mmCIF file of all heavy atoms in Angstrom:
data_model
loop_
_atom_site.group_PDB
_atom_site.id
_atom_site.type_symbol
_atom_site.label_atom_id
_atom_site.label_comp_id
_atom_site.label_asym_id
_atom_site.label_seq_id
_atom_site.Cartn_x
_atom_site.Cartn_y
_atom_site.Cartn_z
ATOM 1 N N ALA A 182 53.426 295.670 0.716
ATOM 2 C CA ALA A 182 53.405 294.364 0.047
ATOM 3 C C ALA A 182 54.546 293.467 0.524
ATOM 4 O O ALA A 182 54.641 292.309 0.119
ATOM 5 C CB ALA A 182 53.489 294.562 -1.466
ATOM 6 N N VAL A 183 55.417 293.998 1.383
ATOM 7 C CA VAL A 183 56.576 293.240 1.862
ATOM 8 C C VAL A 183 56.154 292.346 3.015
ATOM 9 O O VAL A 183 55.620 292.825 4.021
ATOM 10 C CB VAL A 183 57.702 294.194 2.322
ATOM 11 C CG1 VAL A 183 58.888 293.387 2.844
ATOM 12 C CG2 VAL A 183 58.115 295.099 1.175
ATOM 13 N N ALA A 184 56.374 291.056 2.892
ATOM 14 C CA ALA A 184 56.036 290.123 3.964
ATOM 15 C C ALA A 184 56.875 290.409 5.196
ATOM 16 O O ALA A 184 58.074 290.675 5.096
ATOM 17 C CB ALA A 184 56.260 288.678 3.490
ATOM 18 N N GLY A 185 56.245 290.342 6.371
ATOM 19 C CA GLY A 185 56.970 290.561 7.617
ATOM 20 C C GLY A 185 57.078 292.016 8.008
ATOM 21 O O GLY A 185 57.922 292.372 8.827
ATOM 22 N N THR A 186 56.228 292.888 7.421
ATOM 23 C CA THR A 186 56.291 294.313 7.768
ATOM 24 C C THR A 186 55.980 294.520 9.250
ATOM 25 O O THR A 186 56.655 295.280 9.943
ATOM 26 C CB THR A 186 55.286 295.117 6.908
ATOM 27 O OG1 THR A 186 55.666 294.973 5.541
ATOM 28 C CG2 THR A 186 55.307 296.581 7.292
ATOM 29 N N THR A 187 54.933 293.847 9.761
ATOM 30 C CA THR A 187 54.592 293.957 11.182
ATOM 31 C C THR A 187 55.493 293.028 11.977
ATOM 32 O O THR A 187 55.435 291.803 11.820
ATOM 33 C CB THR A 187 53.108 293.584 11.420
ATOM 34 O OG1 THR A 187 52.295 294.447 10.644
ATOM 35 C CG2 THR A 187 52.758 293.742 12.883
ATOM 36 N N ARG A 188 56.321 293.627 12.837
ATOM 37 C CA ARG A 188 57.258 292.813 13.615
ATOM 38 C C ARG A 188 56.961 292.857 15.102
ATOM 39 O O ARG A 188 57.607 292.166 15.883
ATOM 40 C CB ARG A 188 58.688 293.311 13.371
ATOM 41 C CG ARG A 188 59.118 293.160 11.926
ATOM 42 C CD ARG A 188 60.593 293.437 11.766
ATOM 43 N NE ARG A 188 61.052 293.147 10.418
ATOM 44 C CZ ARG A 188 62.321 292.931 10.106
ATOM 45 N NH1 ARG A 188 63.246 292.975 11.045
ATOM 46 N NH2 ARG A 188 62.671 292.683 8.871
ATOM 47 N N ASP A 189 56.022 293.705 15.511
ATOM 48 C CA ASP A 189 55.677 293.806 16.921
ATOM 49 C C ASP A 189 54.165 293.884 17.039
ATOM 50 O O ASP A 189 53.448 294.059 16.063
ATOM 51 C CB ASP A 189 56.325 295.048 17.551
ATOM 52 C CG ASP A 189 56.455 294.928 19.063
ATOM 53 O OD1 ASP A 189 55.927 293.939 19.623
ATOM 54 O OD2 ASP A 189 57.070 295.815 19.678
ATOM 55 N N VAL A 190 53.688 293.776 18.256
ATOM 56 C CA VAL A 190 52.256 293.827 18.514
ATOM 57 C C VAL A 190 51.751 295.257 18.340
ATOM 58 O O VAL A 190 52.347 296.201 18.841
ATOM 59 C CB VAL A 190 51.964 293.328 19.945
ATOM 60 C CG1 VAL A 190 50.525 293.598 20.328
ATOM 61 C CG2 VAL A 190 52.295 291.842 20.052
ATOM 62 N N VAL A 191 50.656 295.419 17.594
ATOM 63 C CA VAL A 191 50.012 296.724 17.404
ATOM 64 C C VAL A 191 48.582 296.592 17.909
ATOM 65 O O VAL A 191 47.878 295.647 17.546
ATOM 66 C CB VAL A 191 50.010 297.156 15.923
ATOM 67 C CG1 VAL A 191 49.319 298.503 15.764
ATOM 68 C CG2 VAL A 191 51.437 297.211 15.386
ATOM 69 N N ARG A 192 48.144 297.531 18.747
ATOM 70 C CA ARG A 192 46.829 297.441 19.380
ATOM 71 C C ARG A 192 45.905 298.536 18.877
ATOM 72 O O ARG A 192 46.330 299.659 18.650
ATOM 73 C CB ARG A 192 46.950 297.543 20.905
ATOM 74 C CG ARG A 192 47.863 296.495 21.504
ATOM 75 C CD ARG A 192 48.093 296.726 22.989
ATOM 76 N NE ARG A 192 49.154 295.875 23.491
ATOM 77 C CZ ARG A 192 48.963 294.632 23.914
ATOM 78 N NH1 ARG A 192 47.738 294.132 23.919
ATOM 79 N NH2 ARG A 192 49.968 293.891 24.341
ATOM 80 N N GLY A 193 44.642 298.195 18.764
ATOM 81 C CA GLY A 193 43.614 299.169 18.422
ATOM 82 C C GLY A 193 42.352 298.869 19.217
ATOM 83 O O GLY A 193 42.069 297.707 19.544
ATOM 84 N N SER A 194 41.592 299.894 19.567
ATOM 85 C CA SER A 194 40.360 299.712 20.330
ATOM 86 C C SER A 194 39.202 300.375 19.604
ATOM 87 O O SER A 194 39.351 301.449 19.015
ATOM 88 C CB SER A 194 40.502 300.305 21.732
ATOM 89 O OG SER A 194 41.443 299.580 22.492
ATOM 90 N N LEU A 195 38.066 299.719 19.638
ATOM 91 C CA LEU A 195 36.848 300.254 19.062
ATOM 92 C C LEU A 195 35.692 299.669 19.845
ATOM 93 O O LEU A 195 35.897 298.976 20.849
ATOM 94 C CB LEU A 195 36.725 299.900 17.574
ATOM 95 C CG LEU A 195 36.738 298.414 17.220
ATOM 96 C CD1 LEU A 195 35.850 298.157 16.008
ATOM 97 C CD2 LEU A 195 38.176 297.980 16.885
ATOM 98 N N GLN A 196 34.463 299.958 19.438
ATOM 99 C CA GLN A 196 33.323 299.372 20.107
ATOM 100 C C GLN A 196 32.291 298.923 19.086
ATOM 101 O O GLN A 196 32.130 299.528 18.027
ATOM 102 C CB GLN A 196 32.698 300.350 21.100
ATOM 103 C CG GLN A 196 32.227 301.661 20.493
ATOM 104 C CD GLN A 196 31.432 302.486 21.482
ATOM 105 O OE1 GLN A 196 30.348 302.076 21.897
ATOM 106 N NE2 GLN A 196 31.962 303.623 21.868
ATOM 107 N N ILE A 197 31.624 297.831 19.426
ATOM 108 C CA ILE A 197 30.540 297.308 18.608
ATOM 109 C C ILE A 197 29.328 297.166 19.507
ATOM 110 O O ILE A 197 29.343 296.374 20.456
ATOM 111 C CB ILE A 197 30.896 295.946 17.982
ATOM 112 C CG1 ILE A 197 32.183 296.023 17.157
ATOM 113 C CG2 ILE A 197 29.762 295.445 17.116
ATOM 114 C CD1 ILE A 197 32.638 294.682 16.612
ATOM 115 N N GLU A 198 28.302 297.954 19.237
ATOM 116 C CA GLU A 198 27.076 297.949 20.037
ATOM 117 C C GLU A 198 27.374 298.097 21.525
ATOM 118 O O GLU A 198 26.757 297.442 22.379
ATOM 119 C CB GLU A 198 26.260 296.672 19.783
ATOM 120 C CG GLU A 198 25.693 296.587 18.372
ATOM 121 C CD GLU A 198 24.710 295.443 18.202
ATOM 122 O OE1 GLU A 198 24.237 294.912 19.222
ATOM 123 O OE2 GLU A 198 24.431 295.087 17.049
ATOM 124 N N GLY A 199 28.324 298.965 21.839
ATOM 125 C CA GLY A 199 28.646 299.243 23.233
ATOM 126 C C GLY A 199 29.678 298.329 23.845
ATOM 127 O O GLY A 199 30.125 298.570 24.968
ATOM 128 N N ILE A 200 30.087 297.258 23.147
ATOM 129 C CA ILE A 200 31.105 296.336 23.673
ATOM 130 C C ILE A 200 32.482 296.829 23.257
ATOM 131 O O ILE A 200 32.762 296.958 22.064
ATOM 132 C CB ILE A 200 30.898 294.907 23.121
ATOM 133 C CG1 ILE A 200 29.548 294.361 23.544
ATOM 134 C CG2 ILE A 200 32.013 293.987 23.604
ATOM 135 C CD1 ILE A 200 29.409 294.131 25.006
ATOM 136 N N PRO A 201 33.378 297.123 24.221
ATOM 137 C CA PRO A 201 34.744 297.495 23.845
ATOM 138 C C PRO A 201 35.452 296.310 23.191
ATOM 139 O O PRO A 201 35.385 295.183 23.674
ATOM 140 C CB PRO A 201 35.407 297.853 25.188
ATOM 141 C CG PRO A 201 34.286 298.047 26.148
ATOM 142 C CD PRO A 201 33.178 297.153 25.678
ATOM 143 N N LEU A 202 36.087 296.574 22.075
ATOM 144 C CA LEU A 202 36.800 295.531 21.331
ATOM 145 C C LEU A 202 38.267 295.927 21.264
ATOM 146 O O LEU A 202 38.613 296.971 20.729
ATOM 147 C CB LEU A 202 36.209 295.410 19.925
ATOM 148 C CG LEU A 202 36.473 294.114 19.167
ATOM 149 C CD1 LEU A 202 35.773 292.958 19.861
ATOM 150 C CD2 LEU A 202 35.981 294.229 17.736
ATOM 151 N N HIS A 203 39.120 295.086 21.844
ATOM 152 C CA HIS A 203 40.553 295.347 21.858
ATOM 153 C C HIS A 203 41.209 294.409 20.843
ATOM 154 O O HIS A 203 41.316 293.202 21.079
ATOM 155 C CB HIS A 203 41.124 295.125 23.265
ATOM 156 C CG HIS A 203 40.315 295.782 24.345
ATOM 157 N ND1 HIS A 203 40.190 297.149 24.448
ATOM 158 C CD2 HIS A 203 39.574 295.260 25.347
ATOM 159 C CE1 HIS A 203 39.412 297.445 25.475
ATOM 160 N NE2 HIS A 203 39.028 296.315 26.033
ATOM 161 N N ILE A 204 41.622 294.977 19.711
ATOM 162 C CA ILE A 204 42.159 294.177 18.613
ATOM 163 C C ILE A 204 43.675 294.282 18.592
ATOM 164 O O ILE A 204 44.233 295.385 18.705
ATOM 165 C CB ILE A 204 41.587 294.631 17.264
ATOM 166 C CG1 ILE A 204 40.059 294.574 17.304
ATOM 167 C CG2 ILE A 204 42.095 293.757 16.138
ATOM 168 C CD1 ILE A 204 39.400 295.009 16.032
ATOM 169 N N ILE A 205 44.322 293.156 18.461
ATOM 170 C CA ILE A 205 45.778 293.098 18.496
ATOM 171 C C ILE A 205 46.282 292.519 17.183
ATOM 172 O O ILE A 205 45.979 291.372 16.833
ATOM 173 C CB ILE A 205 46.258 292.228 19.677
ATOM 174 C CG1 ILE A 205 45.703 292.792 20.998
ATOM 175 C CG2 ILE A 205 47.772 292.180 19.740
ATOM 176 C CD1 ILE A 205 45.392 291.755 22.012
ATOM 177 N N ASP A 206 47.007 293.350 16.437
ATOM 178 C CA ASP A 206 47.651 292.902 15.203
ATOM 179 C C ASP A 206 49.018 292.340 15.581
ATOM 180 O O ASP A 206 49.750 292.938 16.380
ATOM 181 C CB ASP A 206 47.796 294.086 14.237
ATOM 182 C CG ASP A 206 48.424 293.673 12.912
ATOM 183 O OD1 ASP A 206 48.428 292.470 12.608
ATOM 184 O OD2 ASP A 206 48.922 294.571 12.197
ATOM 185 N N THR A 207 49.373 291.201 15.031
ATOM 186 C CA THR A 207 50.599 290.525 15.439
ATOM 187 C C THR A 207 51.501 290.255 14.244
ATOM 188 O O THR A 207 51.090 290.353 13.090
ATOM 189 C CB THR A 207 50.275 289.174 16.119
ATOM 190 O OG1 THR A 207 49.593 288.334 15.178
ATOM 191 C CG2 THR A 207 49.385 289.388 17.339
ATOM 192 N N ALA A 208 52.723 289.881 14.577
ATOM 193 C CA ALA A 208 53.681 289.503 13.534
ATOM 194 C C ALA A 208 53.217 288.231 12.842
ATOM 195 O O ALA A 208 52.624 287.346 13.467
ATOM 196 C CB ALA A 208 55.065 289.290 14.151
ATOM 197 N N GLY A 209 53.478 288.141 11.539
ATOM 198 C CA GLY A 209 53.141 286.939 10.790
ATOM 199 C C GLY A 209 53.879 285.729 11.335
ATOM 200 O O GLY A 209 55.073 285.800 11.658
ATOM 201 N N LEU A 210 53.171 284.602 11.470
ATOM 202 C CA LEU A 210 53.763 283.392 12.040
ATOM 203 C C LEU A 210 54.431 282.587 10.935
ATOM 204 O O LEU A 210 53.758 282.042 10.050
ATOM 205 C CB LEU A 210 52.672 282.562 12.731
ATOM 206 C CG LEU A 210 51.971 283.255 13.911
ATOM 207 C CD1 LEU A 210 50.810 282.408 14.418
ATOM 208 C CD2 LEU A 210 52.946 283.540 15.029
ATOM 209 N N ARG A 211 55.739 282.529 10.998
ATOM 210 C CA ARG A 211 56.493 281.755 10.018
ATOM 211 C C ARG A 211 57.883 281.492 10.578
ATOM 212 O O ARG A 211 58.327 282.135 11.536
ATOM 213 C CB ARG A 211 56.620 282.516 8.701
ATOM 214 C CG ARG A 211 57.438 283.807 8.815
ATOM 215 C CD ARG A 211 57.694 284.443 7.466
ATOM 216 N NE ARG A 211 58.456 285.693 7.586
ATOM 217 C CZ ARG A 211 58.852 286.409 6.553
ATOM 218 N NH1 ARG A 211 58.581 286.016 5.322
ATOM 219 N NH2 ARG A 211 59.535 287.533 6.738
ATOM 220 N N ALA A 212 58.588 280.537 9.989
ATOM 221 C CA ALA A 212 59.980 280.299 10.361
ATOM 222 C C ALA A 212 60.834 281.428 9.781
ATOM 223 O O ALA A 212 60.674 281.807 8.621
ATOM 224 C CB ALA A 212 60.440 278.951 9.822
ATOM 225 N N THR A 213 61.716 281.974 10.598
ATOM 226 C CA THR A 213 62.532 283.100 10.157
ATOM 227 C C THR A 213 63.863 283.105 10.895
ATOM 228 O O THR A 213 63.975 282.616 12.019
ATOM 229 C CB THR A 213 61.800 284.442 10.411
ATOM 230 O OG1 THR A 213 62.639 285.527 10.005
ATOM 231 C CG2 THR A 213 61.454 284.612 11.880
ATOM 232 N N ASP A 214 64.880 283.681 10.230
ATOM 233 C CA ASP A 214 66.185 283.852 10.866
ATOM 234 C C ASP A 214 66.373 285.281 11.376
ATOM 235 O O ASP A 214 67.384 285.596 11.993
ATOM 236 C CB ASP A 214 67.311 283.527 9.854
ATOM 237 C CG ASP A 214 67.310 282.062 9.463
ATOM 238 O OD1 ASP A 214 66.993 281.229 10.341
ATOM 239 O OD2 ASP A 214 67.616 281.754 8.293
ATOM 240 N N ASP A 215 65.386 286.136 11.112
ATOM 241 C CA ASP A 215 65.461 287.533 11.546
ATOM 242 C C ASP A 215 65.187 287.597 13.049
ATOM 243 O O ASP A 215 64.109 287.228 13.520
ATOM 244 C CB ASP A 215 64.422 288.360 10.782
ATOM 245 C CG ASP A 215 64.567 289.856 11.035
ATOM 246 O OD1 ASP A 215 64.587 290.247 12.214
ATOM 247 O OD2 ASP A 215 64.643 290.621 10.058
ATOM 248 N N GLU A 216 66.178 288.074 13.835
ATOM 249 C CA GLU A 216 66.055 288.073 15.292
ATOM 250 C C GLU A 216 64.904 288.963 15.764
ATOM 251 O O GLU A 216 64.182 288.619 16.708
ATOM 252 C CB GLU A 216 67.374 288.535 15.937
ATOM 253 C CG GLU A 216 68.503 287.534 15.822
ATOM 254 C CD GLU A 216 68.160 286.212 16.487
ATOM 255 O OE1 GLU A 216 67.539 286.228 17.583
ATOM 256 O OE2 GLU A 216 68.484 285.158 15.919
ATOM 257 N N ILE A 217 64.728 290.107 15.113
ATOM 258 C CA ILE A 217 63.647 291.017 15.517
ATOM 259 C C ILE A 217 62.292 290.379 15.235
ATOM 260 O O ILE A 217 61.371 290.425 16.059
ATOM 261 C CB ILE A 217 63.774 292.367 14.792
ATOM 262 C CG1 ILE A 217 65.077 293.070 15.199
ATOM 263 C CG2 ILE A 217 62.576 293.266 15.099
ATOM 264 C CD1 ILE A 217 65.335 294.368 14.469
ATOM 265 N N GLU A 218 62.172 289.748 14.071
ATOM 266 C CA GLU A 218 60.912 289.101 13.727
ATOM 267 C C GLU A 218 60.629 287.931 14.661
ATOM 268 O O GLU A 218 59.471 287.678 15.025
ATOM 269 C CB GLU A 218 60.947 288.628 12.268
ATOM 270 C CG GLU A 218 59.577 288.263 11.724
ATOM 271 C CD GLU A 218 59.608 287.943 10.244
ATOM 272 O OE1 GLU A 218 60.677 288.125 9.608
ATOM 273 O OE2 GLU A 218 58.572 287.501 9.730
ATOM 274 N N LYS A 219 61.679 287.226 15.087
ATOM 275 C CA LYS A 219 61.496 286.116 16.042
ATOM 276 C C LYS A 219 60.882 286.609 17.346
ATOM 277 O O LYS A 219 59.984 285.970 17.913
ATOM 278 C CB LYS A 219 62.839 285.439 16.326
ATOM 279 C CG LYS A 219 63.308 284.472 15.256
ATOM 280 C CD LYS A 219 64.607 283.818 15.696
ATOM 281 C CE LYS A 219 65.103 282.820 14.660
ATOM 282 N NZ LYS A 219 66.384 282.184 15.075
ATOM 283 N N ILE A 220 61.379 287.756 17.817
ATOM 284 C CA ILE A 220 60.840 288.328 19.058
ATOM 285 C C ILE A 220 59.370 288.674 18.876
ATOM 286 O O ILE A 220 58.531 288.431 19.746
ATOM 287 C CB ILE A 220 61.650 289.574 19.483
ATOM 288 C CG1 ILE A 220 63.083 289.157 19.846
ATOM 289 C CG2 ILE A 220 60.977 290.286 20.656
ATOM 290 C CD1 ILE A 220 64.008 290.329 20.080
ATOM 291 N N GLY A 221 59.026 289.247 17.708
ATOM 292 C CA GLY A 221 57.637 289.580 17.423
ATOM 293 C C GLY A 221 56.745 288.352 17.414
ATOM 294 O O GLY A 221 55.609 288.381 17.903
ATOM 295 N N ILE A 222 57.246 287.251 16.866
ATOM 296 C CA ILE A 222 56.474 286.008 16.810
ATOM 297 C C ILE A 222 56.265 285.436 18.220
ATOM 298 O O ILE A 222 55.180 284.951 18.559
ATOM 299 C CB ILE A 222 57.163 284.991 15.889
ATOM 300 C CG1 ILE A 222 57.084 285.478 14.436
ATOM 301 C CG2 ILE A 222 56.543 283.603 16.029
ATOM 302 C CD1 ILE A 222 57.906 284.674 13.463
ATOM 303 N N GLU A 223 57.295 285.535 19.069
ATOM 304 C CA GLU A 223 57.152 285.086 20.460
ATOM 305 C C GLU A 223 56.075 285.899 21.177
ATOM 306 O O GLU A 223 55.250 285.362 21.932
ATOM 307 C CB GLU A 223 58.484 285.232 21.204
ATOM 308 C CG GLU A 223 59.540 284.235 20.762
ATOM 309 C CD GLU A 223 60.888 284.511 21.402
ATOM 310 O OE1 GLU A 223 60.963 285.456 22.232
ATOM 311 O OE2 GLU A 223 61.862 283.800 21.093
ATOM 312 N N ARG A 224 56.051 287.198 20.916
ATOM 313 C CA ARG A 224 55.025 288.050 21.536
ATOM 314 C C ARG A 224 53.638 287.713 20.999
ATOM 315 O O ARG A 224 52.641 287.808 21.717
ATOM 316 C CB ARG A 224 55.344 289.520 21.289
ATOM 317 C CG ARG A 224 56.590 289.996 22.043
ATOM 318 C CD ARG A 224 56.868 291.465 21.791
ATOM 319 N NE ARG A 224 58.030 291.905 22.559
ATOM 320 C CZ ARG A 224 58.523 293.136 22.517
ATOM 321 N NH1 ARG A 224 57.957 294.054 21.728
ATOM 322 N NH2 ARG A 224 59.577 293.467 23.254
ATOM 323 N N THR A 225 53.575 287.319 19.729
ATOM 324 C CA THR A 225 52.299 286.910 19.151
ATOM 325 C C THR A 225 51.696 285.758 19.937
ATOM 326 O O THR A 225 50.513 285.780 20.297
ATOM 327 C CB THR A 225 52.494 286.496 17.678
ATOM 328 O OG1 THR A 225 52.863 287.638 16.916
ATOM 329 C CG2 THR A 225 51.215 285.895 17.111
#
């Protein structure tokens, strides 16, 4: 329930009707002073 838990890119792969789906979970986009979270947002 803590905002900003995801700070880096997380990847998952699955398939839908034979199509590979590469899903990328990213850091929440917001203004922040947290240096680690800033890096995650840049990667997003």
Side-chain angles (χ1 to χ4, degrees):
V183 179
T186 298
T187 302
R188 297 190 173 200
D189 202 353
V190 170
V191 179
R192 303 173 191 274
S194 293
L195 58 147
Q196 58 171 295
I197 304 175
E198 293 189 16
I200 298 294
L202 200 66
H203 313 295
I204 304 180
I205 302 146
D206 182 18
T207 61
L210 298 174
R211 65 173 179 177
T213 178
D214 294 325
D215 188 307
E216 289 300 320
I217 296 176
E218 194 174 353
K219 281 183 179 179
I220 295 172
I222 291 171
E223 289 173 3
R224 291 181 178 179
T225 293

